[in-house]
Amino acid sequence: MTANCAVIVAKDEGEAWTLAKEAILKGAEALEFRLDSFPVIPADLSFLACGVPSIATLRSPLDEERKDIFLRALASGAKYIDIESDSVLRNRFPKEQVICSYHDFEKTPAEDEILAIFNDLRSSGIPKAAFMVRGPADLLAVWSAASVLREKGAPFILIGMGAAGEVTRIRSSDLGSMLNYCALRPELASAPGQITLEEAERLGTDPQVAAVTGYPLTHTFSPEIHNAAFKAAKIRGRYVKIPSAPEELLLIPEVIRKYRIIGMNVTIPHKESVIPFLKRIDPLAESAGAVNTIRNSPAGLEGYNTDILGIAASLASVDADPKGAEALIIGAGGAAKAAAAYLKAAGAHISIANRTFARAETLAELFGARSVKIEDLKPAYTIILNATPAGMSGFEHCSPVPHTIFTKDTVVMDMIYDPEVTPLLAAAKAAGVRACINGKTMLIEQAAASFTLWTGITPDRAVMRKAFEARAA
Ligand code: NAP
């Protein structure tokens, strides 16, 4: 049984008491007092006898001085003292009073190495190790090491740090970890990826977990949007980021199964390459040749494309009717494919332009469309749809096409939502086009459709939009 352990980071004894009471009221089943947060270690450590098992942690000062403080902590009511594996103090206290800890802030080693670390730590007390999780391989190493440790039956604490490690904290009960360390308040988080006590209590021991994968995953707004939707729907659910380098994408299905993830969004650059790893592809996703949503169903992993619904809703919101329209898609990746699938089904005449012309040709052939070189583009389109990251925050601040191609009748959609106004949209507006729309509506609509696929519930779009705006602010 995993206990939620709130980390108490206080400046003095009075604050330690206040925060301890707050944590216990919020449901903490154990407290870790970071004695190293005190500028001066208080003479009175009686807060360590706070009514729930407490841990005294002190990473400095020198060992001899620390030894006395640890002795005082135990005498004052601490159930455990936390001592790092490289300290000479680790074998100077009764094993049952020691949590012997190891941290790697860079990486997660392979399963064998994790188990060797735990073997070593166990000789001094309850073993605790925290590893920086970088992606699927690290998550699976944590999972398989935890399975071996669980079998042994003795208590252990295993944590995956960082944003990609968040799922190990949410699934700490499944892992069998004795404690789930939580931040009392977001600003008091003492380790990367730590969730708040309130969130851990809300989630309980068996939450629904959804995720997004892509590489890199720095700019996604999806966690904020989905987490707001989970809360509004009163679902014990959490949406996490699991970045996956291309060479680790094949491990994603196992991560989904092991960590019991109900579904995953797939973004740049995996929308096409993920397809071979799925059991069934929905016809709409098949028509696009791209998947942005995975659903973990009892029959296996299913691939869907909710981007298509997002594009349809976005164009409808500015009354752009694709039937018979001359439509230009810029880009030839997964999102461009979704656009082509939608526009073809809706009866548009499609042209495709892309930085790498050969890819535009291939995509055009696939959808019975025309391919056009960027330098040959003319003002001939009533719908222009950017499906490239050109102009997105973190990418080059530029337009993917010359600004001479707009007319008064053109509707310009940029799939980018950050920034709100891309160079392409700014130029289109300045040229007086009929309507401009960025990627926000598409993002919300594709997210809402994914959410429904995973939970069977229609989410509150107003809540999702509010979460988007809060993140964008
Ligand atoms: P992708 O599969 O990686 O494809 C990227 C496409 O953009 C390729 O055609 C690539 O051209 C082109 N490209 C990349 N960098 C470029 C640059 N600096 N200048 C010009 N062209 C460039 O990505 P994707 O999944 O299709 O996503 C494309 C864009 O749509 C991204 O900005 C993404 O954020 C956005 N999107 C938004 C939503 C939403 O909900 N709002 C949903 C999906 C996608 P090459 O072939 O030459 O490499």
Side-chain angles (χ1 to χ4, degrees), residues 267-269 271-272 307 331-336 354-356 359 386-390 392 395-396 398 400 415-417 439-440 442-443 446:
T267 185
I268 299 179
K271 284 182 183 179
E272 297 155 78
D307 280 343
N354 187 47
R355 182 177 65 177
T356 308
R359 288 189 73 199
N386 178 35
T388 81
M392 182 159 93
F395 283 76
E396 204 184 337
C398 66
M415 290 194 189
I416 295 169
Y417 52 80
K440 177 179 162 185
M442 178 177 172
L443 181 74
Q446 63 78 27

PDB file of all heavy atoms in Angstrom, residues 267-269 271-272 307 331-336 354-356 359 386-390 392 395-396 398 400 415-417 439-440 442-443 446, ligand 1:
ATOM      1  N   THR A 267       2.087  13.307 -31.529  1.00  0.00           N
ATOM      2  CA  THR A 267       2.357  14.548 -32.265  1.00  0.00           C
ATOM      3  C   THR A 267       3.707  14.456 -32.975  1.00  0.00           C
ATOM      4  O   THR A 267       4.303  13.374 -33.040  1.00  0.00           O
ATOM      5  CB  THR A 267       2.207  15.766 -31.308  1.00  0.00           C
ATOM      6  OG1 THR A 267       2.349  16.956 -32.076  1.00  0.00           O
ATOM      7  CG2 THR A 267       3.221  15.768 -30.190  1.00  0.00           C
ATOM      8  N   ILE A 268       4.152  15.591 -33.525  1.00  0.00           N
ATOM      9  CA  ILE A 268       5.380  15.648 -34.326  1.00  0.00           C
ATOM     10  C   ILE A 268       6.495  14.856 -33.654  1.00  0.00           C
ATOM     11  O   ILE A 268       6.715  15.077 -32.468  1.00  0.00           O
ATOM     12  CB  ILE A 268       5.891  17.104 -34.487  1.00  0.00           C
ATOM     13  CG1 ILE A 268       4.863  17.979 -35.189  1.00  0.00           C
ATOM     14  CG2 ILE A 268       7.176  17.142 -35.280  1.00  0.00           C
ATOM     15  CD1 ILE A 268       5.334  19.437 -35.351  1.00  0.00           C
ATOM     16  N   PRO A 269       7.227  13.963 -34.239  1.00  0.00           N
ATOM     17  CA  PRO A 269       7.161  13.580 -35.653  1.00  0.00           C
ATOM     18  C   PRO A 269       6.605  12.163 -35.841  1.00  0.00           C
ATOM     19  O   PRO A 269       6.983  11.471 -36.788  1.00  0.00           O
ATOM     20  CB  PRO A 269       8.650  13.598 -36.049  1.00  0.00           C
ATOM     21  CG  PRO A 269       9.338  13.068 -34.800  1.00  0.00           C
ATOM     22  CD  PRO A 269       8.480  13.468 -33.617  1.00  0.00           C
ATOM     23  N   LYS A 271       3.273  10.885 -36.105  1.00  0.00           N
ATOM     24  CA  LYS A 271       1.891  10.591 -36.492  1.00  0.00           C
ATOM     25  C   LYS A 271       1.778   9.483 -37.539  1.00  0.00           C
ATOM     26  O   LYS A 271       0.784   8.764 -37.573  1.00  0.00           O
ATOM     27  CB  LYS A 271       1.213  11.859 -37.010  1.00  0.00           C
ATOM     28  CG  LYS A 271       0.844  12.793 -35.877  1.00  0.00           C
ATOM     29  CD  LYS A 271       0.124  14.027 -36.344  1.00  0.00           C
ATOM     30  CE  LYS A 271      -0.141  14.921 -35.153  1.00  0.00           C
ATOM     31  NZ  LYS A 271      -0.803  16.160 -35.469  1.00  0.00           N
ATOM     32  N   GLU A 272       2.791   9.394 -38.399  1.00  0.00           N
ATOM     33  CA  GLU A 272       2.749   8.332 -39.411  1.00  0.00           C
ATOM     34  C   GLU A 272       3.512   7.097 -38.929  1.00  0.00           C
ATOM     35  O   GLU A 272       3.062   5.971 -39.080  1.00  0.00           O
ATOM     36  CB  GLU A 272       3.351   8.850 -40.722  1.00  0.00           C
ATOM     37  CG  GLU A 272       2.540   9.992 -41.301  1.00  0.00           C
ATOM     38  CD  GLU A 272       3.369  10.904 -42.192  1.00  0.00           C
ATOM     39  OE1 GLU A 272       3.614  10.518 -43.329  1.00  0.00           O
ATOM     40  OE2 GLU A 272       3.769  12.003 -41.728  1.00  0.00           O
ATOM     41  N   ASP A 307      -7.493  15.041 -35.550  1.00  0.00           N
ATOM     42  CA  ASP A 307      -7.076  16.303 -36.196  1.00  0.00           C
ATOM     43  C   ASP A 307      -8.061  16.660 -37.306  1.00  0.00           C
ATOM     44  O   ASP A 307      -8.361  17.837 -37.548  1.00  0.00           O
ATOM     45  CB  ASP A 307      -5.687  16.145 -36.843  1.00  0.00           C
ATOM     46  CG  ASP A 307      -4.562  16.270 -35.820  1.00  0.00           C
ATOM     47  OD1 ASP A 307      -4.807  16.788 -34.719  1.00  0.00           O
ATOM     48  OD2 ASP A 307      -3.435  15.822 -36.130  1.00  0.00           O
ATOM     49  N   GLY A 331       2.760  22.073 -46.478  1.00  0.00           N
ATOM     50  CA  GLY A 331       3.291  21.019 -45.601  1.00  0.00           C
ATOM     51  C   GLY A 331       2.964  19.657 -46.170  1.00  0.00           C
ATOM     52  O   GLY A 331       2.055  19.515 -47.007  1.00  0.00           O
ATOM     53  N   ALA A 332       3.708  18.658 -45.725  1.00  0.00           N
ATOM     54  CA  ALA A 332       3.478  17.308 -46.240  1.00  0.00           C
ATOM     55  C   ALA A 332       3.659  16.263 -45.136  1.00  0.00           C
ATOM     56  O   ALA A 332       3.935  15.099 -45.410  1.00  0.00           O
ATOM     57  CB  ALA A 332       4.445  17.029 -47.408  1.00  0.00           C
ATOM     58  N   GLY A 333       3.488  16.698 -43.902  1.00  0.00           N
ATOM     59  CA  GLY A 333       3.617  15.752 -42.788  1.00  0.00           C
ATOM     60  C   GLY A 333       2.267  15.217 -42.357  1.00  0.00           C
ATOM     61  O   GLY A 333       1.301  15.228 -43.134  1.00  0.00           O
ATOM     62  N   GLY A 334       2.193  14.765 -41.110  1.00  0.00           N
ATOM     63  CA  GLY A 334       0.974  14.141 -40.589  1.00  0.00           C
ATOM     64  C   GLY A 334      -0.225  15.067 -40.609  1.00  0.00           C
ATOM     65  O   GLY A 334      -1.327  14.667 -41.005  1.00  0.00           O
ATOM     66  N   ALA A 335      -0.032  16.329 -40.200  1.00  0.00           N
ATOM     67  CA  ALA A 335      -1.164  17.261 -40.148  1.00  0.00           C
ATOM     68  C   ALA A 335      -1.627  17.621 -41.563  1.00  0.00           C
ATOM     69  O   ALA A 335      -2.824  17.788 -41.806  1.00  0.00           O
ATOM     70  CB  ALA A 335      -0.759  18.516 -39.380  1.00  0.00           C
ATOM     71  N   ALA A 336      -0.682  17.722 -42.503  1.00  0.00           N
ATOM     72  CA  ALA A 336      -1.035  17.996 -43.898  1.00  0.00           C
ATOM     73  C   ALA A 336      -1.870  16.834 -44.449  1.00  0.00           C
ATOM     74  O   ALA A 336      -2.829  17.043 -45.210  1.00  0.00           O
ATOM     75  CB  ALA A 336       0.226  18.188 -44.733  1.00  0.00           C
ATOM     76  N   ASN A 354       5.279  22.298 -50.368  1.00  0.00           N
ATOM     77  CA  ASN A 354       6.075  21.913 -49.195  1.00  0.00           C
ATOM     78  C   ASN A 354       7.532  22.291 -49.418  1.00  0.00           C
ATOM     79  O   ASN A 354       8.013  22.323 -50.556  1.00  0.00           O
ATOM     80  CB  ASN A 354       5.961  20.398 -48.971  1.00  0.00           C
ATOM     81  CG  ASN A 354       6.625  19.971 -47.680  1.00  0.00           C
ATOM     82  OD1 ASN A 354       6.408  20.593 -46.637  1.00  0.00           O
ATOM     83  ND2 ASN A 354       7.449  18.938 -47.731  1.00  0.00           N
ATOM     84  N   ARG A 355       8.217  22.555 -48.301  1.00  0.00           N
ATOM     85  CA  ARG A 355       9.649  22.890 -48.349  1.00  0.00           C
ATOM     86  C   ARG A 355      10.408  21.841 -49.165  1.00  0.00           C
ATOM     87  O   ARG A 355      11.178  22.182 -50.063  1.00  0.00           O
ATOM     88  CB  ARG A 355      10.164  22.949 -46.907  1.00  0.00           C
ATOM     89  CG  ARG A 355      11.590  23.318 -46.751  1.00  0.00           C
ATOM     90  CD  ARG A 355      11.942  23.416 -45.289  1.00  0.00           C
ATOM     91  NE  ARG A 355      11.858  22.140 -44.587  1.00  0.00           N
ATOM     92  CZ  ARG A 355      12.171  21.957 -43.309  1.00  0.00           C
ATOM     93  NH1 ARG A 355      12.571  22.985 -42.590  1.00  0.00           N
ATOM     94  NH2 ARG A 355      12.083  20.778 -42.749  1.00  0.00           N
ATOM     95  N   THR A 356      10.173  20.584 -48.876  1.00  0.00           N
ATOM     96  CA  THR A 356      10.782  19.509 -49.672  1.00  0.00           C
ATOM     97  C   THR A 356       9.754  19.107 -50.727  1.00  0.00           C
ATOM     98  O   THR A 356       8.762  18.430 -50.413  1.00  0.00           O
ATOM     99  CB  THR A 356      11.127  18.303 -48.771  1.00  0.00           C
ATOM    100  OG1 THR A 356      11.897  18.781 -47.671  1.00  0.00           O
ATOM    101  CG2 THR A 356      11.895  17.238 -49.523  1.00  0.00           C
ATOM    102  N   ARG A 359       8.225  15.581 -51.290  1.00  0.00           N
ATOM    103  CA  ARG A 359       7.201  15.101 -50.342  1.00  0.00           C
ATOM    104  C   ARG A 359       5.825  15.654 -50.718  1.00  0.00           C
ATOM    105  O   ARG A 359       4.809  14.988 -50.527  1.00  0.00           O
ATOM    106  CB  ARG A 359       7.561  15.503 -48.907  1.00  0.00           C
ATOM    107  CG  ARG A 359       8.728  14.714 -48.354  1.00  0.00           C
ATOM    108  CD  ARG A 359       8.901  14.972 -46.879  1.00  0.00           C
ATOM    109  NE  ARG A 359       7.883  14.330 -46.075  1.00  0.00           N
ATOM    110  CZ  ARG A 359       7.585  14.670 -44.808  1.00  0.00           C
ATOM    111  NH1 ARG A 359       8.236  15.661 -44.227  1.00  0.00           N
ATOM    112  NH2 ARG A 359       6.658  14.033 -44.142  1.00  0.00           N
ATOM    113  N   ASN A 386      -1.984  26.221 -43.378  1.00  0.00           N
ATOM    114  CA  ASN A 386      -0.576  25.929 -43.048  1.00  0.00           C
ATOM    115  C   ASN A 386      -0.477  24.739 -42.097  1.00  0.00           C
ATOM    116  O   ASN A 386      -0.992  24.787 -40.982  1.00  0.00           O
ATOM    117  CB  ASN A 386       0.107  27.148 -42.418  1.00  0.00           C
ATOM    118  CG  ASN A 386       1.555  26.821 -42.024  1.00  0.00           C
ATOM    119  OD1 ASN A 386       2.239  26.056 -42.721  1.00  0.00           O
ATOM    120  ND2 ASN A 386       2.012  27.382 -40.929  1.00  0.00           N
ATOM    121  N   ALA A 387       0.211  23.704 -42.546  1.00  0.00           N
ATOM    122  CA  ALA A 387       0.429  22.520 -41.704  1.00  0.00           C
ATOM    123  C   ALA A 387       1.932  22.297 -41.532  1.00  0.00           C
ATOM    124  O   ALA A 387       2.425  21.180 -41.623  1.00  0.00           O
ATOM    125  CB  ALA A 387      -0.227  21.296 -42.334  1.00  0.00           C
ATOM    126  N   THR A 388       2.655  23.422 -41.325  1.00  0.00           N
ATOM    127  CA  THR A 388       4.091  23.329 -40.999  1.00  0.00           C
ATOM    128  C   THR A 388       4.326  24.106 -39.701  1.00  0.00           C
ATOM    129  O   THR A 388       3.511  24.950 -39.340  1.00  0.00           O
ATOM    130  CB  THR A 388       4.989  23.946 -42.096  1.00  0.00           C
ATOM    131  OG1 THR A 388       5.008  25.364 -41.914  1.00  0.00           O
ATOM    132  CG2 THR A 388       4.538  23.606 -43.494  1.00  0.00           C
ATOM    133  N   PRO A 389       5.453  23.843 -39.032  1.00  0.00           N
ATOM    134  CA  PRO A 389       5.729  24.635 -37.820  1.00  0.00           C
ATOM    135  C   PRO A 389       6.431  25.959 -38.109  1.00  0.00           C
ATOM    136  O   PRO A 389       6.854  26.634 -37.164  1.00  0.00           O
ATOM    137  CB  PRO A 389       6.632  23.695 -37.009  1.00  0.00           C
ATOM    138  CG  PRO A 389       7.262  22.790 -38.002  1.00  0.00           C
ATOM    139  CD  PRO A 389       6.395  22.742 -39.214  1.00  0.00           C
ATOM    140  N   ALA A 390       6.519  26.368 -39.371  1.00  0.00           N
ATOM    141  CA  ALA A 390       7.182  27.645 -39.683  1.00  0.00           C
ATOM    142  C   ALA A 390       6.395  28.787 -39.037  1.00  0.00           C
ATOM    143  O   ALA A 390       5.206  28.944 -39.303  1.00  0.00           O
ATOM    144  CB  ALA A 390       7.258  27.839 -41.200  1.00  0.00           C
ATOM    145  N   MET A 392       6.105  28.996 -35.669  1.00  0.00           N
ATOM    146  CA  MET A 392       5.698  28.563 -34.320  1.00  0.00           C
ATOM    147  C   MET A 392       6.767  28.972 -33.303  1.00  0.00           C
ATOM    148  O   MET A 392       7.953  29.018 -33.632  1.00  0.00           O
ATOM    149  CB  MET A 392       5.557  27.025 -34.336  1.00  0.00           C
ATOM    150  CG  MET A 392       5.089  26.421 -33.042  1.00  0.00           C
ATOM    151  SD  MET A 392       4.385  24.762 -33.310  1.00  0.00           S
ATOM    152  CE  MET A 392       5.807  23.738 -33.038  1.00  0.00           C
ATOM    153  N   PHE A 395      10.448  27.839 -33.220  1.00  0.00           N
ATOM    154  CA  PHE A 395      10.923  27.595 -34.594  1.00  0.00           C
ATOM    155  C   PHE A 395      11.265  28.943 -35.220  1.00  0.00           C
ATOM    156  O   PHE A 395      11.057  29.994 -34.605  1.00  0.00           O
ATOM    157  CB  PHE A 395       9.844  26.896 -35.427  1.00  0.00           C
ATOM    158  CG  PHE A 395       9.709  25.424 -35.131  1.00  0.00           C
ATOM    159  CD1 PHE A 395       9.068  24.995 -33.976  1.00  0.00           C
ATOM    160  CD2 PHE A 395      10.237  24.466 -35.988  1.00  0.00           C
ATOM    161  CE1 PHE A 395       8.946  23.650 -33.682  1.00  0.00           C
ATOM    162  CE2 PHE A 395      10.128  23.121 -35.702  1.00  0.00           C
ATOM    163  CZ  PHE A 395       9.481  22.702 -34.548  1.00  0.00           C
ATOM    164  N   GLU A 396      11.727  28.876 -36.457  1.00  0.00           N
ATOM    165  CA  GLU A 396      12.095  30.107 -37.158  1.00  0.00           C
ATOM    166  C   GLU A 396      10.866  31.017 -37.298  1.00  0.00           C
ATOM    167  O   GLU A 396       9.772  30.543 -37.653  1.00  0.00           O
ATOM    168  CB  GLU A 396      12.605  29.723 -38.552  1.00  0.00           C
ATOM    169  CG  GLU A 396      13.528  30.730 -39.178  1.00  0.00           C
ATOM    170  CD  GLU A 396      13.895  30.281 -40.595  1.00  0.00           C
ATOM    171  OE1 GLU A 396      13.805  29.070 -40.869  1.00  0.00           O
ATOM    172  OE2 GLU A 396      14.255  31.145 -41.382  1.00  0.00           O
ATOM    173  N   CYS A 398       9.022  32.900 -39.300  1.00  0.00           N
ATOM    174  CA  CYS A 398       8.917  33.192 -40.736  1.00  0.00           C
ATOM    175  C   CYS A 398       7.614  32.622 -41.271  1.00  0.00           C
ATOM    176  O   CYS A 398       6.927  31.863 -40.585  1.00  0.00           O
ATOM    177  CB  CYS A 398      10.090  32.572 -41.477  1.00  0.00           C
ATOM    178  SG  CYS A 398      10.044  30.774 -41.406  1.00  0.00           S
ATOM    179  N   PRO A 400       5.796  30.266 -44.266  1.00  0.00           N
ATOM    180  CA  PRO A 400       6.230  29.170 -45.145  1.00  0.00           C
ATOM    181  C   PRO A 400       6.004  29.470 -46.626  1.00  0.00           C
ATOM    182  O   PRO A 400       6.483  28.729 -47.482  1.00  0.00           O
ATOM    183  CB  PRO A 400       5.340  28.006 -44.691  1.00  0.00           C
ATOM    184  CG  PRO A 400       4.111  28.652 -44.152  1.00  0.00           C
ATOM    185  CD  PRO A 400       4.525  29.971 -43.583  1.00  0.00           C
ATOM    186  N   MET A 415      -2.351  26.126 -38.526  1.00  0.00           N
ATOM    187  CA  MET A 415      -2.558  25.127 -37.459  1.00  0.00           C
ATOM    188  C   MET A 415      -1.796  25.482 -36.189  1.00  0.00           C
ATOM    189  O   MET A 415      -2.015  24.895 -35.147  1.00  0.00           O
ATOM    190  CB  MET A 415      -2.118  23.746 -37.945  1.00  0.00           C
ATOM    191  CG  MET A 415      -3.028  23.163 -38.995  1.00  0.00           C
ATOM    192  SD  MET A 415      -2.654  21.423 -39.186  1.00  0.00           S
ATOM    193  CE  MET A 415      -3.636  21.037 -40.616  1.00  0.00           C
ATOM    194  N   ILE A 416      -0.884  26.438 -36.304  1.00  0.00           N
ATOM    195  CA  ILE A 416      -0.107  26.853 -35.127  1.00  0.00           C
ATOM    196  C   ILE A 416      -1.010  27.654 -34.180  1.00  0.00           C
ATOM    197  O   ILE A 416      -1.821  28.460 -34.635  1.00  0.00           O
ATOM    198  CB  ILE A 416       1.098  27.713 -35.581  1.00  0.00           C
ATOM    199  CG1 ILE A 416       2.053  26.859 -36.423  1.00  0.00           C
ATOM    200  CG2 ILE A 416       1.813  28.339 -34.385  1.00  0.00           C
ATOM    201  CD1 ILE A 416       3.128  27.657 -37.150  1.00  0.00           C
ATOM    202  N   TYR A 417      -0.885  27.420 -32.876  1.00  0.00           N
ATOM    203  CA  TYR A 417      -1.664  28.201 -31.894  1.00  0.00           C
ATOM    204  C   TYR A 417      -0.769  29.009 -30.960  1.00  0.00           C
ATOM    205  O   TYR A 417      -1.245  29.774 -30.132  1.00  0.00           O
ATOM    206  CB  TYR A 417      -2.593  27.286 -31.088  1.00  0.00           C
ATOM    207  CG  TYR A 417      -1.923  26.087 -30.457  1.00  0.00           C
ATOM    208  CD1 TYR A 417      -1.206  26.209 -29.278  1.00  0.00           C
ATOM    209  CD2 TYR A 417      -1.988  24.837 -31.048  1.00  0.00           C
ATOM    210  CE1 TYR A 417      -0.578  25.128 -28.705  1.00  0.00           C
ATOM    211  CE2 TYR A 417      -1.369  23.737 -30.479  1.00  0.00           C
ATOM    212  CZ  TYR A 417      -0.665  23.873 -29.309  1.00  0.00           C
ATOM    213  OH  TYR A 417      -0.035  22.802 -28.737  1.00  0.00           O
ATOM    214  N   GLY A 439      -4.578  27.878 -34.812  1.00  0.00           N
ATOM    215  CA  GLY A 439      -4.782  26.460 -34.502  1.00  0.00           C
ATOM    216  C   GLY A 439      -5.519  26.170 -33.208  1.00  0.00           C
ATOM    217  O   GLY A 439      -5.682  25.010 -32.834  1.00  0.00           O
ATOM    218  N   LYS A 440      -5.999  27.236 -32.534  1.00  0.00           N
ATOM    219  CA  LYS A 440      -6.622  27.003 -31.228  1.00  0.00           C
ATOM    220  C   LYS A 440      -7.893  26.144 -31.327  1.00  0.00           C
ATOM    221  O   LYS A 440      -8.058  25.170 -30.596  1.00  0.00           O
ATOM    222  CB  LYS A 440      -6.939  28.358 -30.571  1.00  0.00           C
ATOM    223  CG  LYS A 440      -7.648  28.216 -29.248  1.00  0.00           C
ATOM    224  CD  LYS A 440      -7.921  29.585 -28.647  1.00  0.00           C
ATOM    225  CE  LYS A 440      -8.975  29.505 -27.583  1.00  0.00           C
ATOM    226  NZ  LYS A 440      -9.346  30.807 -27.069  1.00  0.00           N
ATOM    227  N   MET A 442      -8.751  24.126 -33.638  1.00  0.00           N
ATOM    228  CA  MET A 442      -8.376  22.758 -34.027  1.00  0.00           C
ATOM    229  C   MET A 442      -7.870  21.979 -32.818  1.00  0.00           C
ATOM    230  O   MET A 442      -8.241  20.826 -32.594  1.00  0.00           O
ATOM    231  CB  MET A 442      -7.288  22.820 -35.106  1.00  0.00           C
ATOM    232  CG  MET A 442      -6.797  21.447 -35.534  1.00  0.00           C
ATOM    233  SD  MET A 442      -5.586  21.576 -36.861  1.00  0.00           S
ATOM    234  CE  MET A 442      -5.028  19.875 -36.954  1.00  0.00           C
ATOM    235  N   LEU A 443      -7.038  22.646 -32.022  1.00  0.00           N
ATOM    236  CA  LEU A 443      -6.467  21.982 -30.842  1.00  0.00           C
ATOM    237  C   LEU A 443      -7.574  21.549 -29.876  1.00  0.00           C
ATOM    238  O   LEU A 443      -7.596  20.416 -29.398  1.00  0.00           O
ATOM    239  CB  LEU A 443      -5.482  22.921 -30.132  1.00  0.00           C
ATOM    240  CG  LEU A 443      -4.806  22.305 -28.908  1.00  0.00           C
ATOM    241  CD1 LEU A 443      -3.752  21.294 -29.324  1.00  0.00           C
ATOM    242  CD2 LEU A 443      -4.181  23.367 -28.021  1.00  0.00           C
ATOM    243  N   GLN A 446      -9.806  18.735 -31.555  1.00  0.00           N
ATOM    244  CA  GLN A 446      -9.175  17.404 -31.624  1.00  0.00           C
ATOM    245  C   GLN A 446      -9.009  16.827 -30.228  1.00  0.00           C
ATOM    246  O   GLN A 446      -9.173  15.635 -30.005  1.00  0.00           O
ATOM    247  CB  GLN A 446      -7.866  17.412 -32.436  1.00  0.00           C
ATOM    248  CG  GLN A 446      -6.719  18.263 -31.914  1.00  0.00           C
ATOM    249  CD  GLN A 446      -5.967  17.633 -30.747  1.00  0.00           C
ATOM    250  OE1 GLN A 446      -5.927  16.422 -30.610  1.00  0.00           O
ATOM    251  NE2 GLN A 446      -5.394  18.454 -29.886  1.00  0.00           N
TER     252      GLN A 446
HETATM  253  P1  NAP B   1       5.391  16.796 -39.342  1.00  0.00           P
HETATM  254  O1  NAP B   1       4.745  15.514 -39.679  1.00  0.00           O
HETATM  255  O2  NAP B   1       6.715  16.781 -38.690  1.00  0.00           O
HETATM  256  O3  NAP B   1       5.496  17.654 -40.679  1.00  0.00           O
HETATM  257  C1  NAP B   1       6.085  18.918 -40.682  1.00  0.00           C
HETATM  258  C2  NAP B   1       5.932  19.580 -42.042  1.00  0.00           C
HETATM  259  O4  NAP B   1       6.368  20.911 -41.895  1.00  0.00           O
HETATM  260  C3  NAP B   1       6.773  18.966 -43.134  1.00  0.00           C
HETATM  261  O5  NAP B   1       6.084  19.065 -44.343  1.00  0.00           O
HETATM  262  C4  NAP B   1       8.023  19.849 -43.136  1.00  0.00           C
HETATM  263  O6  NAP B   1       8.641  19.970 -44.396  1.00  0.00           O
HETATM  264  C5  NAP B   1       7.436  21.179 -42.806  1.00  0.00           C
HETATM  265  N1  NAP B   1       8.394  22.056 -42.136  1.00  0.00           N
HETATM  266  C6  NAP B   1       9.057  21.806 -40.994  1.00  0.00           C
HETATM  267  N2  NAP B   1       9.807  22.872 -40.636  1.00  0.00           N
HETATM  268  C7  NAP B   1       9.602  23.803 -41.594  1.00  0.00           C
HETATM  269  C8  NAP B   1      10.103  25.117 -41.796  1.00  0.00           C
HETATM  270  N3  NAP B   1      10.950  25.675 -40.926  1.00  0.00           N
HETATM  271  N4  NAP B   1       9.685  25.794 -42.887  1.00  0.00           N
HETATM  272  C9  NAP B   1       8.827  25.241 -43.750  1.00  0.00           C
HETATM  273  N5  NAP B   1       8.320  23.996 -43.629  1.00  0.00           N
HETATM  274  C10 NAP B   1       8.709  23.294 -42.555  1.00  0.00           C
HETATM  275  O7  NAP B   1       4.428  17.684 -38.406  1.00  0.00           O
HETATM  276  P2  NAP B   1       2.832  17.673 -38.302  1.00  0.00           P
HETATM  277  O8  NAP B   1       2.407  16.754 -37.236  1.00  0.00           O
HETATM  278  O9  NAP B   1       2.297  17.507 -39.672  1.00  0.00           O
HETATM  279  O10 NAP B   1       2.541  19.158 -37.738  1.00  0.00           O
HETATM  280  C11 NAP B   1       2.729  20.284 -38.533  1.00  0.00           C
HETATM  281  C12 NAP B   1       2.271  21.562 -37.823  1.00  0.00           C
HETATM  282  O11 NAP B   1       0.893  21.514 -37.527  1.00  0.00           O
HETATM  283  C13 NAP B   1       2.976  21.808 -36.497  1.00  0.00           C
HETATM  284  O12 NAP B   1       3.243  23.177 -36.363  1.00  0.00           O
HETATM  285  C14 NAP B   1       1.958  21.391 -35.464  1.00  0.00           C
HETATM  286  O13 NAP B   1       2.119  22.072 -34.238  1.00  0.00           O
HETATM  287  C15 NAP B   1       0.676  21.817 -36.157  1.00  0.00           C
HETATM  288  N6  NAP B   1      -0.470  21.045 -35.661  1.00  0.00           N
HETATM  289  C16 NAP B   1      -1.416  21.702 -34.942  1.00  0.00           C
HETATM  290  C17 NAP B   1      -2.516  21.028 -34.468  1.00  0.00           C
HETATM  291  C18 NAP B   1      -3.562  21.736 -33.696  1.00  0.00           C
HETATM  292  O14 NAP B   1      -4.361  21.087 -33.027  1.00  0.00           O
HETATM  293  N7  NAP B   1      -3.633  23.033 -33.756  1.00  0.00           N
HETATM  294  C19 NAP B   1      -2.635  19.651 -34.711  1.00  0.00           C
HETATM  295  C20 NAP B   1      -1.657  19.019 -35.472  1.00  0.00           C
HETATM  296  C21 NAP B   1      -0.577  19.727 -35.938  1.00  0.00           C
HETATM  297  P3  NAP B   1       9.772  18.952 -44.940  1.00  0.00           P
HETATM  298  O15 NAP B   1       9.007  17.854 -45.609  1.00  0.00           O
HETATM  299  O16 NAP B   1      10.566  19.789 -45.845  1.00  0.00           O
HETATM  300  O17 NAP B   1      10.529  18.484 -43.719  1.00  0.00           O
END
